[in-house]
mmCIF file of all heavy atoms in Angstrom:
data_model
loop_
_atom_site.group_PDB
_atom_site.id
_atom_site.type_symbol
_atom_site.label_atom_id
_atom_site.label_comp_id
_atom_site.label_asym_id
_atom_site.label_seq_id
_atom_site.Cartn_x
_atom_site.Cartn_y
_atom_site.Cartn_z
ATOM 1 N N ALA Q 1002 -101.695 -113.153 25.504
ATOM 2 C CA ALA Q 1002 -102.002 -112.491 26.784
ATOM 3 C C ALA Q 1002 -100.783 -111.754 27.318
ATOM 4 O O ALA Q 1002 -100.894 -110.651 27.869
ATOM 5 C CB ALA Q 1002 -102.505 -113.513 27.800
ATOM 6 N N ILE Q 1003 -99.593 -112.349 27.156
ATOM 7 C CA ILE Q 1003 -98.357 -111.692 27.606
ATOM 8 C C ILE Q 1003 -98.114 -110.425 26.801
ATOM 9 O O ILE Q 1003 -97.796 -109.365 27.353
ATOM 10 C CB ILE Q 1003 -97.152 -112.649 27.496
ATOM 11 C CG1 ILE Q 1003 -97.274 -113.768 28.541
ATOM 12 C CG2 ILE Q 1003 -95.828 -111.902 27.669
ATOM 13 C CD1 ILE Q 1003 -96.258 -114.884 28.376
ATOM 14 N N ALA Q 1004 -98.297 -110.514 25.481
ATOM 15 C CA ALA Q 1004 -98.094 -109.340 24.618
ATOM 16 C C ALA Q 1004 -99.074 -108.226 24.968
ATOM 17 O O ALA Q 1004 -98.700 -107.047 25.033
ATOM 18 C CB ALA Q 1004 -98.241 -109.739 23.155
ATOM 19 N N GLU Q 1005 -100.318 -108.602 25.229
ATOM 20 C CA GLU Q 1005 -101.340 -107.608 25.576
ATOM 21 C C GLU Q 1005 -101.005 -106.938 26.908
ATOM 22 O O GLU Q 1005 -101.120 -105.713 27.051
ATOM 23 C CB GLU Q 1005 -102.695 -108.311 25.671
ATOM 24 C CG GLU Q 1005 -103.870 -107.370 25.830
ATOM 25 C CD GLU Q 1005 -105.192 -108.118 25.849
ATOM 26 O OE1 GLU Q 1005 -105.414 -108.968 24.966
ATOM 27 O OE2 GLU Q 1005 -105.990 -107.849 26.767
ATOM 28 N N ALA Q 1006 -100.570 -107.724 27.882
ATOM 29 C CA ALA Q 1006 -100.220 -107.166 29.193
ATOM 30 C C ALA Q 1006 -98.983 -106.276 29.082
ATOM 31 O O ALA Q 1006 -98.899 -105.239 29.741
ATOM 32 C CB ALA Q 1006 -99.977 -108.295 30.190
ATOM 33 N N ARG Q 1007 -98.029 -106.671 28.234
ATOM 34 C CA ARG Q 1007 -96.807 -105.887 28.051
ATOM 35 C C ARG Q 1007 -97.135 -104.514 27.452
ATOM 36 O O ARG Q 1007 -96.507 -103.506 27.794
ATOM 37 C CB ARG Q 1007 -95.847 -106.652 27.125
ATOM 38 C CG ARG Q 1007 -94.462 -106.034 27.079
ATOM 39 C CD ARG Q 1007 -93.504 -106.786 26.172
ATOM 40 N NE ARG Q 1007 -93.272 -108.144 26.632
ATOM 41 C CZ ARG Q 1007 -93.381 -109.235 25.861
ATOM 42 N NH1 ARG Q 1007 -93.719 -109.123 24.606
ATOM 43 N NH2 ARG Q 1007 -93.148 -110.432 26.353
ATOM 44 N N ASP Q 1008 -98.134 -104.481 26.562
ATOM 45 C CA ASP Q 1008 -98.525 -103.223 25.916
ATOM 46 C C ASP Q 1008 -99.151 -102.225 26.888
ATOM 47 O O ASP Q 1008 -99.256 -101.048 26.578
ATOM 48 C CB ASP Q 1008 -99.521 -103.490 24.776
ATOM 49 C CG ASP Q 1008 -98.864 -104.189 23.594
ATOM 50 O OD1 ASP Q 1008 -97.615 -104.174 23.507
ATOM 51 O OD2 ASP Q 1008 -99.612 -104.763 22.769
ATOM 52 N N LYS Q 1009 -99.536 -102.695 28.067
ATOM 53 C CA LYS Q 1009 -100.206 -101.820 29.036
ATOM 54 C C LYS Q 1009 -99.225 -100.998 29.859
ATOM 55 O O LYS Q 1009 -99.627 -100.258 30.740
ATOM 56 C CB LYS Q 1009 -101.118 -102.629 29.946
ATOM 57 C CG LYS Q 1009 -102.302 -103.189 29.181
ATOM 58 C CD LYS Q 1009 -103.270 -103.890 30.072
ATOM 59 C CE LYS Q 1009 -104.437 -104.378 29.217
ATOM 60 N NZ LYS Q 1009 -105.368 -105.171 29.972
ATOM 61 N N GLY Q 1010 -97.930 -101.183 29.613
ATOM 62 C CA GLY Q 1010 -96.983 -100.305 30.290
ATOM 63 C C GLY Q 1010 -96.096 -100.981 31.300
ATOM 64 O O GLY Q 1010 -95.640 -102.091 31.100
ATOM 65 N N ASP Q 1011 -95.845 -100.292 32.403
ATOM 66 C CA ASP Q 1011 -94.890 -100.662 33.444
ATOM 67 C C ASP Q 1011 -95.062 -102.119 33.891
ATOM 68 O O ASP Q 1011 -96.055 -102.489 34.507
ATOM 69 C CB ASP Q 1011 -95.066 -99.711 34.637
ATOM 70 C CG ASP Q 1011 -94.038 -99.954 35.723
ATOM 71 O OD1 ASP Q 1011 -93.056 -100.693 35.465
ATOM 72 O OD2 ASP Q 1011 -94.203 -99.400 36.822
ATOM 73 N N LEU Q 1012 -94.072 -102.955 33.596
ATOM 74 C CA LEU Q 1012 -94.152 -104.375 33.908
ATOM 75 C C LEU Q 1012 -93.925 -104.667 35.388
ATOM 76 O O LEU Q 1012 -94.344 -105.700 35.891
ATOM 77 C CB LEU Q 1012 -93.130 -105.165 33.076
ATOM 78 C CG LEU Q 1012 -93.337 -105.112 31.559
ATOM 79 C CD1 LEU Q 1012 -92.265 -105.952 30.870
ATOM 80 C CD2 LEU Q 1012 -94.713 -105.602 31.174
ATOM 81 N N SER Q 1013 -93.278 -103.753 36.104
ATOM 82 C CA SER Q 1013 -92.978 -104.004 37.514
ATOM 83 C C SER Q 1013 -94.235 -104.022 38.382
ATOM 84 O O SER Q 1013 -94.249 -104.641 39.437
ATOM 85 C CB SER Q 1013 -91.980 -102.977 38.047
ATOM 86 O OG SER Q 1013 -92.567 -101.691 38.024
ATOM 87 N N GLU Q 1014 -95.299 -103.353 37.950
ATOM 88 C CA GLU Q 1014 -96.537 -103.318 38.730
ATOM 89 C C GLU Q 1014 -97.709 -103.843 37.924
ATOM 90 O O GLU Q 1014 -98.852 -103.480 38.166
ATOM 91 C CB GLU Q 1014 -96.824 -101.883 39.184
ATOM 92 C CG GLU Q 1014 -95.790 -101.357 40.151
ATOM 93 C CD GLU Q 1014 -96.092 -99.938 40.599
ATOM 94 O OE1 GLU Q 1014 -97.207 -99.466 40.368
ATOM 95 O OE2 GLU Q 1014 -95.192 -99.322 41.188
ATOM 96 N N ASN Q 1015 -97.443 -104.729 36.973
ATOM 97 C CA ASN Q 1015 -98.487 -105.221 36.089
ATOM 98 C C ASN Q 1015 -98.860 -106.655 36.490
ATOM 99 O O ASN Q 1015 -98.190 -107.614 36.130
ATOM 100 C CB ASN Q 1015 -97.982 -105.157 34.639
ATOM 101 C CG ASN Q 1015 -99.061 -105.435 33.628
ATOM 102 O OD1 ASN Q 1015 -100.009 -106.155 33.908
ATOM 103 N ND2 ASN Q 1015 -98.901 -104.876 32.446
ATOM 104 N N ALA Q 1016 -99.967 -106.790 37.217
ATOM 105 C CA ALA Q 1016 -100.401 -108.105 37.698
ATOM 106 C C ALA Q 1016 -100.812 -109.018 36.546
ATOM 107 O O ALA Q 1016 -100.594 -110.232 36.606
ATOM 108 C CB ALA Q 1016 -101.561 -107.939 38.672
ATOM 109 N N GLU Q 1017 -101.386 -108.436 35.499
ATOM 110 C CA GLU Q 1017 -101.782 -109.249 34.338
ATOM 111 C C GLU Q 1017 -100.563 -109.901 33.693
ATOM 112 O O GLU Q 1017 -100.597 -111.065 33.308
ATOM 113 C CB GLU Q 1017 -102.496 -108.392 33.291
ATOM 114 C CG GLU Q 1017 -103.929 -108.069 33.614
ATOM 115 C CD GLU Q 1017 -104.567 -107.225 32.527
ATOM 116 O OE1 GLU Q 1017 -104.510 -107.627 31.344
ATOM 117 O OE2 GLU Q 1017 -105.120 -106.167 32.862
ATOM 118 N N TYR Q 1018 -99.493 -109.145 33.584
ATOM 119 C CA TYR Q 1018 -98.265 -109.660 32.986
ATOM 120 C C TYR Q 1018 -97.691 -110.791 33.848
ATOM 121 O O TYR Q 1018 -97.337 -111.847 33.341
ATOM 122 C CB TYR Q 1018 -97.239 -108.526 32.835
ATOM 123 C CG TYR Q 1018 -95.921 -108.972 32.253
ATOM 124 C CD1 TYR Q 1018 -95.786 -109.189 30.887
ATOM 125 C CD2 TYR Q 1018 -94.816 -109.185 33.072
ATOM 126 C CE1 TYR Q 1018 -94.574 -109.609 30.346
ATOM 127 C CE2 TYR Q 1018 -93.597 -109.601 32.546
ATOM 128 C CZ TYR Q 1018 -93.486 -109.808 31.182
ATOM 129 O OH TYR Q 1018 -92.298 -110.229 30.641
ATOM 130 N N ASP Q 1019 -97.653 -110.573 35.170
ATOM 131 C CA ASP Q 1019 -97.139 -111.603 36.074
ATOM 132 C C ASP Q 1019 -97.965 -112.875 35.985
ATOM 133 O O ASP Q 1019 -97.431 -113.985 35.942
ATOM 134 C CB ASP Q 1019 -97.129 -111.091 37.523
ATOM 135 C CG ASP Q 1019 -96.105 -109.979 37.743
ATOM 136 O OD1 ASP Q 1019 -95.172 -109.867 36.920
ATOM 137 O OD2 ASP Q 1019 -96.243 -109.234 38.730
ATOM 138 N N ALA Q 1020 -99.299 -112.723 35.944
ATOM 139 C CA ALA Q 1020 -100.187 -113.892 35.866
ATOM 140 C C ALA Q 1020 -99.989 -114.631 34.546
ATOM 141 O O ALA Q 1020 -99.946 -115.867 34.514
ATOM 142 C CB ALA Q 1020 -101.641 -113.458 36.017
ATOM 143 N N ALA Q 1021 -99.850 -113.887 33.452
ATOM 144 C CA ALA Q 1021 -99.660 -114.510 32.142
ATOM 145 C C ALA Q 1021 -98.320 -115.244 32.075
ATOM 146 O O ALA Q 1021 -98.229 -116.351 31.520
ATOM 147 C CB ALA Q 1021 -99.759 -113.465 31.037
ATOM 148 N N LYS Q 1022 -97.276 -114.649 32.643
ATOM 149 C CA LYS Q 1022 -95.960 -115.307 32.663
ATOM 150 C C LYS Q 1022 -96.005 -116.581 33.516
ATOM 151 O O LYS Q 1022 -95.405 -117.597 33.159
ATOM 152 C CB LYS Q 1022 -94.879 -114.358 33.193
ATOM 153 C CG LYS Q 1022 -94.474 -113.249 32.241
ATOM 154 C CD LYS Q 1022 -93.904 -113.757 30.944
ATOM 155 C CE LYS Q 1022 -92.456 -114.116 31.076
ATOM 156 N NZ LYS Q 1022 -91.847 -114.539 29.809
ATOM 157 N N GLU Q 1023 -96.731 -116.516 34.641
ATOM 158 C CA GLU Q 1023 -96.854 -117.700 35.500
ATOM 159 C C GLU Q 1023 -97.630 -118.801 34.767
ATOM 160 O O GLU Q 1023 -97.261 -119.975 34.821
ATOM 161 C CB GLU Q 1023 -97.560 -117.338 36.810
ATOM 162 C CG GLU Q 1023 -97.588 -118.504 37.783
ATOM 163 C CD GLU Q 1023 -98.134 -118.114 39.144
ATOM 164 O OE1 GLU Q 1023 -97.947 -116.967 39.583
ATOM 165 O OE2 GLU Q 1023 -98.739 -118.999 39.764
ATOM 166 N N ALA Q 1024 -98.697 -118.416 34.069
ATOM 167 C CA ALA Q 1024 -99.481 -119.389 33.298
ATOM 168 C C ALA Q 1024 -98.626 -120.014 32.203
ATOM 169 O O ALA Q 1024 -98.720 -121.217 31.936
ATOM 170 C CB ALA Q 1024 -100.718 -118.711 32.694
ATOM 171 N N GLN Q 1025 -97.763 -119.208 31.594
ATOM 172 C CA GLN Q 1025 -96.867 -119.718 30.562
ATOM 173 C C GLN Q 1025 -95.900 -120.752 31.154
ATOM 174 O O GLN Q 1025 -95.679 -121.814 30.573
ATOM 175 C CB GLN Q 1025 -96.078 -118.571 29.916
ATOM 176 C CG GLN Q 1025 -95.147 -119.053 28.812
ATOM 177 C CD GLN Q 1025 -94.282 -117.938 28.255
ATOM 178 O OE1 GLN Q 1025 -93.850 -117.050 28.993
ATOM 179 N NE2 GLN Q 1025 -94.048 -117.981 26.964
ATOM 180 N N GLY Q 1026 -95.356 -120.451 32.303
ATOM 181 C CA GLY Q 1026 -94.445 -121.389 32.962
ATOM 182 C C GLY Q 1026 -95.128 -122.702 33.308
ATOM 183 O O GLY Q 1026 -94.563 -123.784 33.109
ATOM 184 N N MET Q 1027 -96.356 -122.627 33.814
ATOM 185 C CA MET Q 1027 -97.118 -123.832 34.157
ATOM 186 C C MET Q 1027 -97.413 -124.661 32.909
ATOM 187 O O MET Q 1027 -97.281 -125.887 32.923
ATOM 188 C CB MET Q 1027 -98.430 -123.460 34.869
ATOM 189 C CG MET Q 1027 -98.232 -122.805 36.215
ATOM 190 S SD MET Q 1027 -97.444 -123.882 37.419
ATOM 191 C CE MET Q 1027 -98.777 -124.998 37.754
ATOM 192 N N LEU Q 1028 -97.813 -123.985 31.827
ATOM 193 C CA LEU Q 1028 -98.119 -124.698 30.583
ATOM 194 C C LEU Q 1028 -96.880 -125.388 30.025
ATOM 195 O O LEU Q 1028 -96.932 -126.548 29.616
ATOM 196 C CB LEU Q 1028 -98.712 -123.740 29.540
ATOM 197 C CG LEU Q 1028 -99.036 -124.388 28.187
ATOM 198 C CD1 LEU Q 1028 -100.144 -125.429 28.343
ATOM 199 C CD2 LEU Q 1028 -99.433 -123.339 27.176
ATOM 200 N N GLU Q 1029 -95.760 -124.677 30.025
ATOM 201 C CA GLU Q 1029 -94.525 -125.273 29.508
ATOM 202 C C GLU Q 1029 -94.110 -126.482 30.348
ATOM 203 O O GLU Q 1029 -93.623 -127.480 29.814
ATOM 204 C CB GLU Q 1029 -93.396 -124.240 29.457
ATOM 205 C CG GLU Q 1029 -93.613 -123.138 28.429
ATOM 206 C CD GLU Q 1029 -93.791 -123.647 27.003
ATOM 207 O OE1 GLU Q 1029 -93.148 -124.646 26.619
ATOM 208 O OE2 GLU Q 1029 -94.594 -123.043 26.264
ATOM 209 N N MET Q 1030 -94.343 -126.413 31.666
ATOM 210 C CA MET Q 1030 -94.034 -127.547 32.529
ATOM 211 C C MET Q 1030 -94.928 -128.746 32.169
ATOM 212 O O MET Q 1030 -94.453 -129.879 32.052
ATOM 213 C CB MET Q 1030 -94.244 -127.165 33.998
ATOM 214 C CG MET Q 1030 -93.867 -128.262 34.967
ATOM 215 S SD MET Q 1030 -94.098 -127.784 36.694
ATOM 216 C CE MET Q 1030 -95.879 -127.756 36.805
ATOM 217 N N LYS Q 1031 -96.238 -128.490 31.959
ATOM 218 C CA LYS Q 1031 -97.160 -129.562 31.577
ATOM 219 C C LYS Q 1031 -96.760 -130.175 30.233
ATOM 220 O O LYS Q 1031 -96.797 -131.394 30.060
ATOM 221 C CB LYS Q 1031 -98.595 -129.029 31.472
ATOM 222 C CG LYS Q 1031 -99.262 -128.781 32.782
ATOM 223 C CD LYS Q 1031 -100.676 -128.272 32.528
ATOM 224 C CE LYS Q 1031 -101.360 -127.839 33.786
ATOM 225 N NZ LYS Q 1031 -102.684 -127.251 33.521
ATOM 226 N N ILE Q 1032 -96.389 -129.320 29.283
ATOM 227 C CA ILE Q 1032 -95.972 -129.803 27.953
ATOM 228 C C ILE Q 1032 -94.748 -130.699 28.087
ATOM 229 O O ILE Q 1032 -94.691 -131.778 27.487
ATOM 230 C CB ILE Q 1032 -95.728 -128.616 26.992
ATOM 231 C CG1 ILE Q 1032 -97.060 -127.973 26.594
ATOM 232 C CG2 ILE Q 1032 -94.944 -129.068 25.755
ATOM 233 C CD1 ILE Q 1032 -96.927 -126.681 25.812
ATOM 234 N N ASN Q 1033 -93.778 -130.263 28.870
ATOM 235 C CA ASN Q 1033 -92.556 -131.061 29.043
ATOM 236 C C ASN Q 1033 -92.838 -132.393 29.727
ATOM 237 O O ASN Q 1033 -92.272 -133.424 29.345
ATOM 238 C CB ASN Q 1033 -91.492 -130.269 29.814
ATOM 239 C CG ASN Q 1033 -90.892 -129.174 28.967
ATOM 240 O OD1 ASN Q 1033 -90.857 -129.250 27.749
ATOM 241 N ND2 ASN Q 1033 -90.430 -128.117 29.620
ATOM 242 N N GLN Q 1034 -93.713 -132.391 30.730
ATOM 243 C CA GLN Q 1034 -94.075 -133.638 31.411
ATOM 244 C C GLN Q 1034 -94.785 -134.586 30.444
ATOM 245 O O GLN Q 1034 -94.508 -135.785 30.424
ATOM 246 C CB GLN Q 1034 -94.977 -133.357 32.617
ATOM 247 C CG GLN Q 1034 -94.260 -132.756 33.789
ATOM 248 C CD GLN Q 1034 -95.199 -132.360 34.920
ATOM 249 O OE1 GLN Q 1034 -96.392 -132.136 34.717
ATOM 250 N NE2 GLN Q 1034 -94.647 -132.259 36.123
ATOM 251 N N LEU Q 1035 -95.680 -134.053 29.644
ATOM 252 C CA LEU Q 1035 -96.416 -134.861 28.677
ATOM 253 C C LEU Q 1035 -95.484 -135.441 27.622
ATOM 254 O O LEU Q 1035 -95.599 -136.614 27.256
ATOM 255 C CB LEU Q 1035 -97.511 -134.008 28.031
ATOM 256 C CG LEU Q 1035 -98.644 -134.714 27.328
ATOM 257 C CD1 LEU Q 1035 -99.266 -135.787 28.193
ATOM 258 C CD2 LEU Q 1035 -99.705 -133.710 26.909
ATOM 259 N N LYS Q 1036 -94.539 -134.636 27.157
ATOM 260 C CA LYS Q 1036 -93.562 -135.126 26.176
ATOM 261 C C LYS Q 1036 -92.735 -136.267 26.762
ATOM 262 O O LYS Q 1036 -92.420 -137.234 26.072
ATOM 263 C CB LYS Q 1036 -92.639 -133.996 25.711
ATOM 264 C CG LYS Q 1036 -93.286 -133.070 24.701
ATOM 265 C CD LYS Q 1036 -92.311 -132.008 24.245
ATOM 266 C CE LYS Q 1036 -92.920 -131.134 23.166
ATOM 267 N NZ LYS Q 1036 -91.982 -130.107 22.699
ATOM 268 N N LYS Q 1037 -92.398 -136.160 28.047
ATOM 269 C CA LYS Q 1037 -91.620 -137.221 28.700
ATOM 270 C C LYS Q 1037 -92.427 -138.511 28.772
ATOM 271 O O LYS Q 1037 -91.925 -139.594 28.453
ATOM 272 C CB LYS Q 1037 -91.194 -136.776 30.099
ATOM 273 C CG LYS Q 1037 -90.321 -137.780 30.827
ATOM 274 C CD LYS Q 1037 -89.848 -137.232 32.160
ATOM 275 C CE LYS Q 1037 -88.814 -138.124 32.783
ATOM 276 N NZ LYS Q 1037 -89.314 -139.064 33.734
ATOM 277 N N VAL Q 1038 -93.699 -138.402 29.175
ATOM 278 C CA VAL Q 1038 -94.565 -139.585 29.248
ATOM 279 C C VAL Q 1038 -94.705 -140.229 27.873
ATOM 280 O O VAL Q 1038 -94.586 -141.445 27.727
ATOM 281 C CB VAL Q 1038 -95.965 -139.208 29.814
ATOM 282 C CG1 VAL Q 1038 -96.953 -140.345 29.643
ATOM 283 C CG2 VAL Q 1038 -95.858 -138.817 31.283
ATOM 284 N N ILE Q 1039 -94.914 -139.406 26.851
ATOM 285 C CA ILE Q 1039 -95.075 -139.919 25.485
ATOM 286 C C ILE Q 1039 -93.792 -140.593 25.009
ATOM 287 O O ILE Q 1039 -93.829 -141.667 24.398
ATOM 288 C CB ILE Q 1039 -95.506 -138.780 24.525
ATOM 289 C CG1 ILE Q 1039 -96.958 -138.378 24.840
ATOM 290 C CG2 ILE Q 1039 -95.350 -139.191 23.067
ATOM 291 C CD1 ILE Q 1039 -97.410 -137.104 24.161
ATOM 292 N N SER Q 1040 -92.646 -139.989 25.307
ATOM 293 C CA SER Q 1040 -91.376 -140.559 24.836
ATOM 294 C C SER Q 1040 -91.066 -141.895 25.509
ATOM 295 O O SER Q 1040 -90.388 -142.745 24.931
ATOM 296 C CB SER Q 1040 -90.223 -139.578 25.062
ATOM 297 O OG SER Q 1040 -89.911 -139.485 26.433
ATOM 298 N N GLU Q 1041 -91.573 -142.102 26.723
ATOM 299 C CA GLU Q 1041 -91.304 -143.337 27.453
ATOM 300 C C GLU Q 1041 -92.419 -144.374 27.287
ATOM 301 O O GLU Q 1041 -92.317 -145.480 27.794
ATOM 302 C CB GLU Q 1041 -91.116 -143.032 28.940
ATOM 303 C CG GLU Q 1041 -89.885 -142.197 29.218
ATOM 304 C CD GLU Q 1041 -89.772 -141.749 30.671
ATOM 305 O OE1 GLU Q 1041 -90.719 -141.964 31.461
ATOM 306 O OE2 GLU Q 1041 -88.725 -141.175 31.013
ATOM 307 N N ALA Q 1042 -93.477 -144.006 26.566
ATOM 308 C CA ALA Q 1042 -94.639 -144.889 26.437
ATOM 309 C C ALA Q 1042 -94.324 -146.108 25.583
ATOM 310 O O ALA Q 1042 -93.584 -146.036 24.599
ATOM 311 C CB ALA Q 1042 -95.806 -144.117 25.822
#
């Protein structure tokens, strides 16, 4: 989704790109939290 949004041009006014980057950040946070729970289980 990030690659597709990037291909659409100007990133400064690209809401799709911003949303995809935010979703990526949220997912990475969830992955890190899950890894922590698993490592301490």
Side-chain angles (χ1 to χ4, degrees):
I1003 290 171
E1005 188 177 311
R1007 190 180 297 129
D1008 290 343
K1009 292 185 178 175
D1011 185 12
L1012 297 181
S1013 65
E1014 295 180 14
N1015 189 331
E1017 282 180 53
Y1018 179 78
D1019 292 340
K1022 287 299 278 183
E1023 185 173 328
Q1025 181 185 36
M1027 295 296 287
L1028 179 65
E1029 292 302 324
M1030 183 179 71
K1031 285 181 187 176
I1032 288 172
N1033 287 334
Q1034 286 174 337
L1035 198 51
K1036 282 182 176 181
K1037 183 176 189 264
V1038 169
I1039 289 169
S1040 72
E1041 294 173 353

